[in-house]
Amino acid sequence: MKSLIIAAGVIVVSASAAMTQAVAQDVAKGEISFHKCLPCHSIGDGAENKIGPELNGLDGRHSGSVDGFDYSDANKNSGIVWNEAKFKEYIQDPRGVVPGTKMIFAGIKNPQEINDLWAYVSQFKADGSIGGK
């Protein structure tokens, strides 16, 4: 009986931690963090390629696939399909994840800022509207 109670407690704590992590993403803070990206990328209604590709519809998109953007061969051939886990890995060290990428960015190291940035970026559909994929 004691083992059952302990196991139930572990499950509750694990579920609570997972829920806290999921709720921890703050879109408004992610929008502020996106200002670091604005010199090279655009997102939302009317987004266009700049030094980097526009980022609408990033979640589920294949790397190197935005029409009209001249990607490095490393990026085009990376095989990446963008999702939350890959974005969070990449944004910390773009050149470490895709050696040979043209992206010159030191990366974001703060896990909370990365969570918030993903919350902001992933809300945009391919057409620039808000609402997921």
Side-chain angles (χ1 to χ4, degrees), residues 64-78:
S65 65
V66 172
D67 287 338
F69 186 77
D70 183 28
Y71 289 93
S72 65
D73 287 338
N75 202 298
K76 287 188 282 191
N77 299 323
S78 70

Side-chain angles (χ1 to χ4, degrees), residues 22-32 112-113 115-120:
V23 175
Q25 295 183 341
D26 186 323
V27 172
K29 288 182 180 176
E31 183 175 9
I32 292 167
Q112 184 61 55
E113 184 178 1
N115 282 339
D116 296 341
L117 184 57
W118 175 253
Y120 177 71

Side-chain angles (χ1 to χ4, degrees), residues 11-83:
I11 291 170
V12 168
V13 169
S14 296
S16 175
M19 287 173 57
T20 300
Q21 185 177 23
V23 175
Q25 295 183 341
D26 186 323
V27 172
K29 288 182 180 176
E31 183 175 9
I32 292 167
S33 180
F34 191 76
H35 290 161
K36 294 178 181 178
C37 310
L38 277 173
C40 299
H41 298 281
S42 63
I43 199 164
D45 187 39
E48 296 181 357
N49 295 330
K50 296 164 85 173
I51 294 170
E54 55 88 4
L55 297 179
N56 288 333
L58 186 64
D59 191 13
R61 183 168 91 191
H62 289 262
S63 181
S65 65
V66 172
D67 287 338
F69 186 77
D70 183 28
Y71 289 93
S72 65
D73 287 338
N75 202 298
K76 287 188 282 191
N77 299 323
S78 70
I80 292 173
V81 176
W82 295 109
N83 61 29

